[in-house]
Amino acid sequence: MIKQHPFQYEEWPDDSALSESDRSLLQEARQVTELAYAPYSNFWVGAAARLISGAVVTGSNQENASYPVGTCAERVLLGHAALRYPGDAIETLAISYHPKGKSSHVPLYPCGMCRQALLEYELRFQRPIRLILSGMEGAVHCIESANSLLPFAFTGQGLRS
Ligand code: THU
């Protein structure tokens, strides 16, 4: 039997289609690309999340001379949110990026490790995290839940006997 696993997302030509609060969250993600520490890849990533309380937390990628030690913007943000606002779930998370000195027009999708980390945060708070993905300008993608980016994910079921 062949089955399908559908994936839906919104695609807009630019951020003018977004609500005021989503546009300002994306703007914040674009701004915090400036706080990336990315001397090895020169690929600057910024993330900004609006929590249920309305608080906003941010993250940027933090690299290391020992490359695998570096951390993506999304996971820096999750640590920040968990520590600074415990118990306050993430409602919407915007991600942007630019290669040093260049612009970016194509939305950035989170890496596999970050997809797993976002999924855990959704499960932990029993709440979907809405994603807004865009470069510094141009197309914007919106996804209702990070979980749809990681079909058939490992959720830890069976870990605890
Ligand atoms: N990076 C992120 O911060 N988020 C992603 O979703 C993809 C990749 C960072 C990791 C590394 O510092 C640089 O971008 C190049 O891979």
Side-chain angles (χ1 to χ4, degrees), residues 3-4 23 47 66 81-82 101 128 134:
K3 297 185 175 183
Q4 287 194 354
R23 195 165 44 249
S66 174
S134 184

Side-chain angles (χ1 to χ4, degrees), residues 38-58:
Y40 303 103
S41 70
N42 284 328
F43 193 78
W44 298 29
V45 185
R50 187 172 56 239
L51 311 184
I52 299 301
S53 67
V56 171
V57 295
T58 55

Side-chain angles (χ1 to χ4, degrees), residues 21-34:
S21 63
D22 284 351
R23 195 165 44 249
S24 87
L25 195 66
L26 175 57
Q27 199 47 42
E28 187 119 14
R30 287 170 170 164
Q31 268 165 17
V32 296
T33 58
E34 296 306 321

Side-chain angles (χ1 to χ4, degrees), residues 41 43 45 61 63 72-74 108-111:
S41 70
F43 193 78
V45 185
N61 53 331
E63 297 186 348
C72 293
E74 296 88 327
L108 170 80
Y109 273 73
C111 79

Side-chain angles (χ1 to χ4, degrees), residues 94-106:
I95 306 168
S96 190
Y97 73 101
H98 62 92
K100 188 181 176 185
K102 295 188 188 153
S103 193
S104 52
H105 311 265
V106 178

